Amino acid sequence: QVQLVESGGDFVQPGGSLRLSCAASGSFFSIQDMAWYRQAQGKERERVAFISRRGVRDYAEFVKGRFTISRDDAKNAVYLQLNSLQPEDTAVYYCTAGFSQRSPVTTFRKWGQGTQVTVAS
């Protein structure tokens, strides 16, 4: 059973920083794309950042250079560095990844359980 587990969420003051981590475990051949989403209370889930297998990155407009996504394929992990956090960044942050598997050849997507980020004075 493939799983994604996030960590690093916390309570921080405006202007603060956090580093979110997400590690994959279980049996799979490779990890394709990886991404972070967030969902604020009462709002729809939205994509924050994306990184392809080759390291191509894409960010939501609201990130505005404050967040950085990275991955470590040796550790089957993806990270999100959050800087200059603001109250509107308060949300549950989820990681997701596309996996490939052999025998049979297949691809599938998994989501983590989420980690809470709260930004307040």
Side-chain angles (χ1 to χ4, degrees):
Q1 181 78 352
V2 176
Q3 289 186 320
L4 291 171
V5 179
E6 301 103 331
S7 61
D10 206 344
F11 180 99
V12 295
Q13 293 186 339
S17 297
L18 285 174
R19 185 175 188 243
L20 307 183
S21 301
C22 174
S25 63
S27 178
F28 52 87
F29 176 64
S30 68
I31 301 175
Q32 305 302 310
D33 60 282
M34 306 182 86
W36 287 93
Y37 282 69
R38 72 183 187 184
Q39 187 167 21
Q41 194 168 10
K43 295 187 177 181
E44 293 188 352
R45 190 173 298 190
E46 58 185 355
R47 194 173 82 172
V48 176
F50 165 92
I51 185 167
S52 72
R53 180 171 172 78
R54 290 183 172 83
V56 176
R57 296 170 173 82
D58 184 66
Y59 296 95
E61 190 64 31
F62 58 77
V63 169
K64 298 178 182 178
R66 300 180 296 130
F67 301 172
T68 302
I69 189 171
S70 61
R71 61 188 288 168
D72 184 339
D73 290 334
K75 296 181 178 179
N76 295 322
V78 62
Y79 307 97
L80 187 66
Q81 178 67 41
L82 311 171
N83 296 327
S84 301
L85 284 162
Q86 299 301 317
E88 53 266 32
D89 295 316
T90 296
V92 178
Y93 285 70
Y94 299 89
C95 72
T96 182
F99 295 87
S100 64
Q101 199 161 32
R102 287 180 167 177
S103 302
V105 176
T106 186
T107 60
F108 56 94
R109 178 161 299 280
K110 290 289 186 179
W111 289 81
Q113 83 289 349
T115 186
Q116 176 71 47
V117 172
T118 303
V119 186
S121 299

